[in-house]
Amino acid sequence: MKTVYSPDHACHHPRHEISDGALKAAVEIPSRAEMVLAAVKAAGLGEILPPTPLERAFVERIHEPAYIDFLEGVWDETVAAGRTEEEAFPFVWPTPGLRADRVPTHLDGRMGFYSFDAGTPLTNGTFAAAWSSASVAVTAADLIAAGEGSAFALCRPPGHHAMSARYGGYCFFNNAALAAERLAAGGRRVAILDVDYHHGNGTQAIFFERGDVLFVSIHADPDQEYPYFLGHADEIGEGAGEGANLNLPLPLGSDWATWSKALELALASVERAGPDALVISLGLDPYEGDPISQFKLTTDDFSRLGERLAKAGVPTLFVLEGGYAVEALGANCAAVLTAFEGK
Ligand code: 6XA
Ligand code: ZN
């Protein structure tokens, strides 16, 4: 399996985030990708390729032009506002009852308009890193389009929370959605299976009214876990997308016995759709040792996941999402990918 990777992820290097209602040490940090890269190399998974340049017109198929402009310019705006902190955070949003039909000119208004949480730090190099991450995903999708049976997009920052015009959950561009769009644009039927601990609200929202891309997600019950406001079982898609969205929320504390039952339901739905390509939003935060998550998957369970996905027999693109147990991240990622390859 080929891996696509860019060192530019390290341009996004937050020191802090807001979580648990306070300023904390950031967990979505460059060492995550470095650990995964080292493990993929050590496992001899296959060639490691750089991304090809990403065309902005293609990104605009998923993300609004004004949002792309905002992300590209927000650090200059931050500096122009005389701010000298290492990170910038929004703190006010156009929730129901406030007006969302005007984009404010002030930086704080603009950050709130284009985000949905306060937990996602913007830094000097965020745009460069997020763009490189999106480039990695689309390049890996092109490998599948060219006939590879599998590929790994070693994306950082992650993407599955990013909506067409809002960032949040450490995500800026929706890497999996861009990859799926690339494959769907070639006339393929695509299924996305999101195994991250958190619901992929951005990916769901992007494809909610589309019938050509199935979105299936196994995640912690949003009544009890981030992102809280999407990810319930009654969200089944709308219009042409009705029936093409499947959420499988699970209780906190779920282990492989519970999780693997959801996986069978997820794969049954994928099988019914009969896709030409499968995109896995590969979050490794269902791991028992993850510092911000509360599922109980082990490294061996990640091997079982890889083995099971291979049995689906569909060309498969793995797109890295969350996972914060940095020391175990490489082993868990390699477990999925090498088991998929039958190694
Ligand atoms: C709130 C938790 C953000 C979730 C990030 C993640 N600080 N998403 O791993 O998949
Ligand atoms: Zn996650």
Side-chain angles (χ1 to χ4, degrees), residues 14 62 78 85 114 116 154 193 217 222 270 310 327:
I62 295 294
T78 303
E85 305 296 326
Y114 289 117
F116 66 91
L154 206 173
L193 170 57
S217 179
V270 168
E327 294 303 323

Side-chain angles (χ1 to χ4, degrees), residues 93-100:
W93 294 271
T95 56
L98 298 177
R99 287 183 65 171

Side-chain angles (χ1 to χ4, degrees), residues 17 19 160-161 169-170 196 198 226 285 292 322 324:
E17 64 174 58
S19 56
H160 72 151
H161 295 299
Y170 313 149
D196 190 281
H198 304 92
Y226 185 93
D285 43 13
I292 69 166
Y324 309 96

Side-chain angles (χ1 to χ4, degrees), residues 231-308:
H232 295 284
D234 63 353
E235 299 154 15
I236 60 166
E238 267 172 24
E242 194 174 322
N245 197 88
L246 175 64
N247 283 329
L248 299 162
L250 298 177
L252 304 192
S254 293
D255 62 5
W256 177 253
T258 305
W259 200 91
S260 60
K261 285 191 191 104
L263 179 64
E264 290 310 320
L265 293 175
L267 288 171
S269 154
V270 168
E271 197 174 308
R272 275 194 300 278
D276 304 305
L278 179 59
V279 175
I280 306 294
S281 262
L282 183 61
L284 298 158
D285 43 13
Y287 179 54
E288 58 180 354
D290 193 89
I292 69 166
S293 308
Q294 298 187 56
F295 282 173
K296 300 272 173 263
L297 267 53
T298 64
T299 303
D300 285 347
D301 294 334
F302 282 114
S303 298
R304 292 183 182 100
L305 169 61
E307 241 169 66
R308 181 64 188 86

